[in-house]
Every structure is written in structure tokens, then in C-alpha cells.
Amino acid sequence: MTEIKKLISLVGRNTKCYFKDKLTFFMSLITPLILLILFVTFLRNVYLDVFKSALPEGFTVNGRILEGIAGAWLMSSILSVSSVTVAFCSNVIMVEDKINKTITDFQVSPVKSTTVSISYFLSNFFVTFLVMMCVMVIGHIYLAAVGWYINVGDVFMIIIDCICGILFGTLLAGIVESFVSTQGALSAVATLVSSMYGFICGAYMPISSFGKGLQNILGLLPGTYGVGILRNHYMNGYLDALTKAGLPDDSISVIRKSFDADLTVFGSRIPLGAMYGILLGACVVLLACYIAIVLIKNKKSK
Amino acid sequence: MIIEIENLVKSFKEVKAVNDISFSVREGELFAFLGVNGAGKSTTINIISGTLKRDSGRVAVCGYDLDTNAEKIKNKLGIVFQNSVLDKKLTVYENLKYRANLYGIFGKDFKNNLEEMTELLDLKEILKRPLNKLSGGQKRRIDIARALLHKPKLLILDEPTTGLDPKTRITVWEIIEKLRKESGLTVFLTTHYMEEAADSDYVVIIDAGKIAAEGTPHILKNTYASDFIKFYNRREEAEKYFGKLGYKFKTERDYTEVELKSTSEASVFFKEKPELFDDFEILKGNMDNVFLKVTGKDLKGV
């Protein structure tokens, strides 16, 4: 019981340390917001044209649905990328504790090293969740302005999807950054992940636009399914609206495939439930790796 | 005995950082552990505090064996590190609260302990201030408060006054003395300042991982340090006289310093050549001399 109280206290300490540095929080928040602004400014028209071209010739539809579905697709990209990139940026306290030797202070105290490691994971999860929710609210305000067709159930599922993505991101960050012990290395890792992750999980470009081989390779990466689940829940309401507007099922199916709501890997369509299964399965594997690394590192440090 | 160390050995690859050392520390004493950088002081402290595994040997603290009761030992130990390892962005209160929590001290118990520390170390004015806004001396007081919050039996001070101005050094020592008098706390000190070691109850000098000398400052000075007579007047006659007798002497700007073999020699010379002693000073050998003689290394500037 006392160890749980110690864990709660450490999570509080890590979170407080994080938020005391306003710049760190601002930087974590600003990255996804910049992505949102860049998407809206530069890519909105491109995606609008792509959605328009997916409609049958002569089919007219309310402009708010098209504006909204393009924005929703962008939001799914931003949130799926941010769940990993923000987790990498927000894990700064774990690395700072190594740099400042605060970790030694914990080692001489009667608290289990696993408790300290879990506290970093939990506080990073909490901080990343807060940042993501801020981004989501801002994004939804934008969607409400251009065209809101997302139902309450899907909003709830979007939050669940974010939680799954954050779980994946914080575990991945915890593993990678457990090997980082300098500020420079932390910045390098965060930069590398920020620039690469969006492409390798198919967030910046629809996977369907890649060649079959690359599609299959990306299908092996669990992050791809973090994007897939968000695509589904962000686009569902808009696709329903398009169906109601008279768009044939074939065209809906084309849009779902073209924009990664339906993922096909090695010739098989991956159902939504399987996407969750793969993502959460990956989280279980990552959690096992994280625990193993913590235990091995603790043994080695002694 | 509050610390018992027998045949302690620790190597880092080919380097034997600690090479078969044995010593013990009595309850309530001020124990000084001296050595140049790399002598093995920090390695020994890290082993005692349980953050470093030893290769062989036995370590017991407060009657508990380190192998079987490491957690109990941690509850009995308070450590002041050379550099502060507390959270610079958090306030003094937050720092002390989160660190006390690691010892299972929560709520009312923490408040009671904090009140005692506030009174003892005069913290009232700075409790709400962030650590990075405090002076070096104030930070040192907080480090000591953090080490004492859980009421340890043994306080380890790892070069606690290095980098502090002379006034703050005096303040830190006044606090330590007060603690020893009021609570009978055992203090294990490593320091570069020989005048601090001179006030201790027992001294162990470690050199290249081995114990080079040990004893009370008085015994060490009598065994290893020479006494000196400083002649401020009639210097030429003194140099001639002692030179003929084969004594070493040093000519400085204001005085000639003659190295004696023992304190009792001074009274012999005083009786034999009273005319030389019209302006003079007899100095006991100090811990600097002891250290230099034992290790062949000068601690100044280390």
C-alpha cells in the first residue's frame, strides 16, 4: 500500500516538474498545433480536391461535408502522430533526472526502482494525454467551424483511440529514452521521431497511395493501426452523411480504401477489431520490453 | 558500531577502486574519510548507500547486513551529495514533501518532521521559494533538511562544503555540530578541507583504493606530522644553529621555519639557546602535513 502511495507521489512530482517548465509544455503543445496550422494552410485544398475526385462525376454534395471530411482526416493524422511524438518530447523528466543525478537520490531512498520507472511512464502518459486533449479540442473547434458530422459515440471512441495511441507512444518513448542520458541525445531522438514517424505510420500520406510492397511493410508496423482506428472514427460520420446524400456504396468503399479507413495488408482487409488487437498486442510486447529493460538496467547499475 | 566494513573490494575493469579495505565507525562520532579524487571515497559511499554493488567483502550499517537488509539500511541513512540533486524548479516545500514521501512519510507525519527541520535549519522564510532562486548556502541547508527529514541514524556528507564561500562553510558546520550535540547523530564525512577533518573524532585516509593511515587527528598528527618553530627575529642565527644540527628549515619573507622531530624538542632548544627565542611561534603539525606525508599528495587544489 505504501509503495502505491509512493508511486502516486512520484507521478505527482514528475508531472509538477514538467508543468513548472512552461516552455517544455508549450513546446509539446505547439508541435501538433503547428502541424494543424500547416495542414489547414497548405494541404487543405489538396485533400479537398482528392476527396472531390473520389466522388462520381456529376455528384454534388454539401461543401461542409467535404470541408469537414478533409479536416477530420487531417485531425486523425495529427492525433495519431502526436500520440508518439508528444510522448517522446514529454518524457523529458526521466532524462533530466539522469542528467541531474536526481535518480541517485531515488536510489538511496527506500523506494523500488520499478516504482520510479512506472512513475515516469504514468506521468508521461498523463502529460501526453493532456496535450493531446488540448490539440483535440482545438481541432474539433476547427471542424465545428468548417463542418461537424461526428456523432458523440465516435467522439468517445476517438478519445479511446487516443488513449491506445498514447499507451503505445509512451511505452515506445520509455524504452528508447531509457538509453538516453544527455539533453542533446534527447533532442536528437525527439527530432528524429517527429520527422519520421508521420511517414512510417502512414499519417502524412495515405498508405493506399504507396506501392503494394511498401503497403505490406507498413502493415507490419503497429503504429499504422493507431492511425487506422482514428481514421475510422473521424470519417464514419462524414461517410454516413455522404451515404444519406446519395453516394453509392461503391464510392464509399473507394473512399474508405483510398483514405485508409480500410487497411489491406498482404491482400487481406484488416477489420477494426483486429486493428485494436494488433495495437494493444504491440503495447503488451512493449510493456514486457520496458519491464525487462528496467530490471536489467537496475541490475547492471549495481 | 554503526558502520562495519570488512575486506571491501570493488573493481572497474582493471582498476581496483577499493582494494581490500576494512574500517568501522562508532555511533555518535564524526568520522572523516579523506582522499584525493579517484582514491575510492565515492565508491565506498556508493556501496554503503546501496547504489553500487561490491565485488567482495562485508558491509553492515546500523547492525543490518547490506545483502539482506538494504531497504532497512536506506531508512537509517541520510545523504548530502556533493552537488544538490533536488528538483530546481520545485519549491523547497514541494521538494521536501516529495522526498519525505519516498520514506513513507505522508500527511501529518511529514508536517511534524517539516516543522522540526524548519526550526532547526531556519527554513521558514524560504519554504515557498523555488530551489533555483536560492543562494548556495540556502540550497545546502535544504540538502541537509532533505537528508534528515526521515530522522536517520547516520548522515553521510559527501564533500558538503566544496564550492561554498567561507561564511557559508562555517554556517553549514554550525548546523552539523548542533545536530550532533542535540541528536547524537553519527556523521560520515568526506572532505578536501583538512581543517574540517581536524575537528573529527576519527580519520581514515584512503589512497589508490587502500587505507593509507587511520586514527584520531591527534594520533595521526603525532605519528605523521612534524612540529615547527617559526623565527621572526634573529633568523640568520637560527638558520646557522639548526643547519649545523642537520635540521630542515625553510626561509620565507617574514620568517624562518624549522621542522622539529617532536614537540618536546622545542623546550630543549628553548633552554639551550634562549637568545634565539625573542620573537617566535611553535606550531603543531596539521592534517595537511599528515595527508602529505601519508599519501605524498597535496590536497590543496584537488
Side-chain angles (χ1 to χ4, degrees):
Chain A
M1 191 61 194
T2 315
E3 205 60 27
I4 291 176
K5 281 172 92 177
K6 288 179 190 177
L7 174 67
I8 294 166
S9 169
L10 275 169
V11 172
R13 173 256 171 197
N14 298 345
T15 311
K16 205 165 234 176
C17 281
Y18 179 84
F19 282 108
K20 284 268 173 169
D21 192 344
K22 305 278 185 297
L23 190 69
T24 314
F25 175 66
F26 180 73
M27 288 309 288
S28 295
L29 187 63
I30 201 77
T31 313
L33 288 182
I34 286 174
L35 265 179
L36 181 65
I37 293 164
L38 290 177
F39 267 131
V40 171
T41 313
F42 297 103
L43 294 174
R44 180 179 146 270
N45 287 338
V46 176
Y47 285 107
L48 263 179
D49 290 343
V50 175
F51 275 105
K52 274 180 195 164
S53 67
L55 301 176
E57 217 167 297
F59 183 82
T60 51
V61 68
N62 184 343
R64 282 180 64 80
I65 300 177
L66 283 180
E67 287 270 2
I69 197 169
W73 193 85
L74 299 179
M75 272 308 293
S76 66
S77 300
I78 289 165
L79 288 183
S80 54
V81 172
S82 301
S83 63
V84 174
T85 56
V86 172
F88 269 79
C89 292
S90 305
N91 207 22
V92 66
I93 301 299
M94 183 176 96
V95 181
E96 275 183 359
D97 282 355
K98 282 190 261 184
I99 296 167
N100 301 333
K101 303 241 187 302
T102 306
I103 196 76
T104 317
D105 203 21
F106 296 150
Q107 285 168 348
V108 300
S109 309
V111 59
K112 289 190 173 81
S113 47
T114 40
T115 306
V116 177
S117 299
I118 293 168
S119 80
Y120 289 131
F121 164 71
L122 290 178
S123 52
N124 191 24
F125 183 91
F126 178 66
V127 167
T128 309
F129 180 75
L130 278 183
V131 173
M132 293 272 289
M133 288 304 105
C134 290
V135 175
M136 193 187 81
V137 168
I138 294 167
H140 286 189
I141 291 169
Y142 167 75
L143 288 181
V146 296
W148 180 267
Y149 287 84
I150 304 171
N151 62 45
V152 179
D154 279 333
V155 172
F156 175 74
M157 286 314 292
I158 286 166
I159 295 170
I160 299 289
D161 296 345
C162 285
I163 289 171
C164 293
I166 295 165
L167 189 63
F168 177 74
T170 43
L171 284 167
L172 197 61
I175 290 170
V176 174
E177 289 175 347
S178 64
F179 298 99
V180 172
S181 53
T182 65
Q183 196 70 51
L186 178 69
S187 304
V189 167
T191 308
L192 202 68
V193 171
S194 298
S195 53
M196 278 175 58
Y197 187 74
F199 286 104
I200 59 172
C201 71
Y204 293 156
M205 297 282 289
I207 292 173
S208 61
S209 63
F210 300 146
K212 279 271 177 260
L214 190 55
Q215 278 186 39
N216 290 334
I217 291 169
L218 294 181
L220 297 173
L221 305 175
T224 304
Y225 303 99
V227 186
I229 53 177
L230 274 163
R231 296 264 195 257
N232 270 281
H233 295 120
Y234 262 111
M235 290 170 69
N236 275 346
Y238 295 94
L239 294 174
D240 287 347
L242 285 172
T243 307
K244 278 179 195 160
L247 191 69
D249 285 351
D250 286 354
S251 297
I252 295 288
S253 180
V254 168
I255 291 174
R256 288 187 68 86
K257 274 185 188 164
S258 305
F259 291 93
D260 293 347
D262 284 344
L263 284 170
T264 305
V265 179
F266 294 107
S268 307
R269 186 183 157 267
I270 310 293
L272 189 60
M275 290 189 198
Y276 280 111
I278 294 167
L279 188 62
L280 293 175
C283 290
V284 171
V285 173
L286 289 177
L287 181 65
C289 292
Y290 185 62
I291 292 167
I293 288 167
V294 168
L295 293 175
I296 291 166
K297 275 188 160 268
N298 288 336
K299 213 176 174 185
K300 263 191 175 178
S301 72
K302 291 185 177 180
Chain B
M1 293 294 172
I2 200 156
I3 300 180
E4 289 170 84
I5 290 182
E6 288 169 16
N7 309 110
L8 185 65
V9 176
K10 175 69 189 178
S11 300
F12 297 104
K13 292 183 181 167
E14 274 88 49
V15 181
K16 282 210 164 176
V18 173
N19 191 2
D20 196 20
I21 65 168
S22 301
F23 63 85
S24 51
V25 180
R26 286 185 190 177
E27 201 160 346
E29 76 179 3
L30 171 57
F31 180 94
F33 200 48
L34 305 181
V36 292
N37 286 339
K41 302 188 302 283
S42 296
T43 304
T44 309
I45 288 180
N46 290 341
I47 291 170
I48 294 171
S49 58
T51 57
L52 190 67
K53 215 173 187 177
R54 64 197 184 280
D55 296 340
S56 62
R58 194 182 83 88
V59 177
V61 180
C62 300
Y64 297 116
D65 193 281
L66 190 61
D67 289 332
T68 49
N69 281 302
E71 287 302 300
K72 279 184 182 163
I73 289 174
K74 284 177 181 178
N75 274 304
K76 305 282 181 191
L77 272 186
I79 302 181
V80 175
F81 296 95
Q82 195 175 337
N83 298 309
S84 181
V85 289
L86 295 173
D87 300 313
K88 289 162 191 68
K89 295 171 219 162
L90 300 187
T91 64
V92 171
Y93 177 87
E94 287 164 343
N95 264 295
L96 295 178
K97 188 186 92 173
Y98 289 126
R99 293 306 196 269
N101 290 170
L102 298 179
Y103 291 83
I105 303 167
F106 298 92
K108 211 176 174 187
D109 291 338
F110 165 68
K111 279 193 176 152
N112 291 340
N113 289 11
L114 181 68
E115 257 173 45
E116 277 181 41
M117 283 301 122
T118 305
E119 202 174 313
L120 181 74
L121 299 167
D122 193 20
L123 306 179
K124 202 174 177 184
E125 300 298 315
I126 53 174
L127 271 179
K128 286 180 182 166
R129 285 171 61 185
L131 214 70
N132 55 10
K133 300 273 187 251
L134 302 181
S135 69
Q138 286 171 326
K139 275 184 199 159
R140 253 309 169 238
R141 265 155 55 199
I142 308 308
D143 290 333
I144 295 172
R146 180 263 175 265
L148 296 173
L149 255 179
H150 57 289
K151 299 184 177 171
K153 299 271 275 179
L154 171 65
L155 179 66
I156 295 178
L157 303 166
D158 190 5
E159 297 179 17
T161 53
T162 302
L164 296 182
D165 60 78
K167 197 182 159 202
T168 312
R169 274 171 61 193
I170 292 168
T171 311
V172 168
W173 273 105
E174 281 172 355
I175 291 166
I176 295 166
E177 275 310 305
K178 195 175 168 190
L179 279 168
R180 290 188 61 224
K181 270 185 198 157
E182 287 178 9
S183 59
L185 188 73
T186 310
V187 177
F188 184 106
L189 163 79
T190 74
T191 181
H192 285 160
Y193 295 110
M194 287 298 116
E195 64 268 31
E196 292 177 351
D199 292 334
S200 57
D201 298 310
Y202 200 80
V203 177
V204 165
I205 298 174
I206 185 168
D207 186 37
K210 279 184 168 282
I211 291 177
E214 64 178 302
T216 63
H218 180 70
I219 289 172
L220 286 175
K221 279 191 266 186
N222 281 346
T223 312
Y224 297 102
S226 308
D227 292 349
F228 301 89
I229 307 176
K230 277 184 180 178
F231 293 97
Y232 292 94
N233 208 358
R234 310 191 71 162
R235 295 171 57 184
E236 271 182 37
E237 288 164 78
E239 284 170 17
K240 228 181 242 176
Y241 176 73
F242 284 101
K244 261 187 199 167
L245 293 175
Y247 281 80
K248 281 187 208 165
F249 63 85
K250 200 165 64 176
T251 309
E252 297 288 349
R253 192 184 173 94
D254 294 334
Y255 60 87
T256 293
E257 188 180 81
V258 179
E259 188 178 337
L260 302 175
K261 291 184 180 92
S262 68
T263 315
S264 54
E265 271 188 330
S267 57
V268 174
F269 292 126
F270 188 72
K271 278 175 196 160
E272 277 184 9
K273 274 280 182 189
E275 65 273 21
L276 293 178
F277 292 80
D278 64 341
D279 188 2
F280 70 101
E281 214 177 347
I282 298 176
L283 303 169
K284 289 281 292 173
N286 58 25
M287 288 303 293
D288 279 312
N289 305 127
V290 172
F291 194 85
L292 191 62
K293 204 141 224 175
V294 166
T295 65
K297 291 161 189 158
D298 195 347
L299 265 177
K300 283 172 187 158
V302 170

